[in-house]
Each structure stands twice: as structure tokens, then as C-alpha cells.
Amino acid sequence: MRKPEKEVAENVHRHRSEGRHTFPVKEHPDEVRINLRIHNHLDDPPSDDWTLVFRARSVDQVEVRQFIEGQFPKQDQFVLDERRYQYSWGSSAMVWSFAAEMAPVVGSVIATGVVGNAAWDGIKGIAKRLPRLWGSAETDETLPITDDSAKREAVRLVTVRYQLGPESALSLVSVTSDLQSLRSTVVLDSPTGVRYEVELQRIADDISLAKITVTEPTN
């Protein structure tokens, strides 16, 4: 059972300052999820929905937030929602969630690099810099994903991202793999007719990159 959100929220900002020095507080979350939602305007639904995930690393929550903020130019419209969850149902687990909503201005790096044709490479560029947070070197080494692993990861990402309950059990439509890019595409249908297409890639150092495209049913 998840602990009350108020209890969780009390522990969000944990840098400790003494005089002029600020000391990072390293923790070991079971999972860190970073959602990047790109809009034409912040009032519009997102045109792209990306998720970066890494697991079981010793990192500081404030440094993760600062890393995310540092990936985007100051002129972009940007909102960052930061949450942490402690689960105590069965084995205990701590999850950090960061959701960045952004609306790039014309001519910005994000507008030309992430929303344009280089979208995948732009987000992968952020993913390969993540190991800096735990003192490792950048990496863009891509690892293969089995079809079964791709299916499980896609179902888990969609269920968590869109907060689907048991009544919204997803059914598998297809799994395809690109042997050159080592990218997998999983298509899932919900009982309500909503279709989720999840493109997945796994990078060394246990980092996952995914793009989710949602298609609503037509009347």
C-alpha cells in the first residue's frame, strides 16, 4: 500500500546547506522515471510523449531535477512536476517521478532537434548523459531487447504513465524489432478502443528510452 502522499511530499527537497556549502543527499531509489511531454503550446495536448527510466542507482533527487532543467534552453516554456512514492505493498520500493511539460519556441534547440526529424536522437542524447548523475561515463551503446521483454516493458510503461486500472487490461496487437537500430515497437489495445504504440530502446547502464503514441478510437 502506498504511503500517504503528504508523508512522501515532506521529503522532496533534501539538499542540506551549512554556510556557503551545499551537500548532496544520495539515495538509492528503485526506479526513476522522467516523462518529457512536448506541446505546440502548453495549453494543447502533447504531440510527443517520451519516457526515460533508470533503476537502482545512488543519486541525489535535487541533482536529477537540475540535470533535467539543464537539458532545455531557458527560452522554452517549461513546467516540471516532481514527485516521489514509497510503496509498502509486498516488498518495499521507492520511485521518483519527474514530468516535464514543454512548449518550444520557434528556433530553439528543442524545436529543431526534438520535435523535428531528429527527435529520437535528441532524446537519446539526454539518455546517454544520465550516467553523469552516478559518476559514470556517457554511453550511447544500445542493447538488444527480446520480444517478451519489450512487451512487458511497454505494458508497464503505459499502465503507469496513464494510470490504468485492472479494468483496462491491455491486449497485445504486435511486437516488431529493427535489428539495425535495436529498437522495438509494441502495439497495445485497451478495452475502450484506445491504441498505444510504444517504441523502445535500451541503452547500456540499464537506461530505457520509450516514445508512446496514443490513438483514440474513431466514432
Side-chain angles (χ1 to χ4, degrees), residues 169-183:
L170 298 166
S171 59
L172 178 67
V173 177
S174 63
V175 181
T176 56
S177 300
D178 185 323
L179 297 180
Q180 184 173 357
S181 66
L182 298 182
R183 190 185 305 177

Side-chain angles (χ1 to χ4, degrees), residues 12-13 15 33-36 52 60-83 97-102 109-110 126 129-130 132-133:
V12 169
H13 299 297
H15 259 41
R33 295 192 297 261
I34 303 171
N35 294 117
L36 306 174
L52 300 170
D60 174 65
Q61 186 170 348
V62 174
E63 290 180 353
V64 177
R65 183 197 333 126
Q66 291 171 342
F67 170 86
I68 298 168
E69 293 172 340
Q71 304 307 303
F72 307 105
K74 297 297 184 183
Q75 71 268 26
D76 290 327
Q77 299 179 56
F78 185 87
V79 176
L80 180 61
D81 180 62
E82 177 182 352
R83 299 172 185 264
S97 173
F98 298 84
E101 307 269 354
M102 69 196 72
V109 174
I110 301 303
I126 297 173
R129 292 188 286 275
L130 280 170
R132 295 178 185 174
L133 290 167

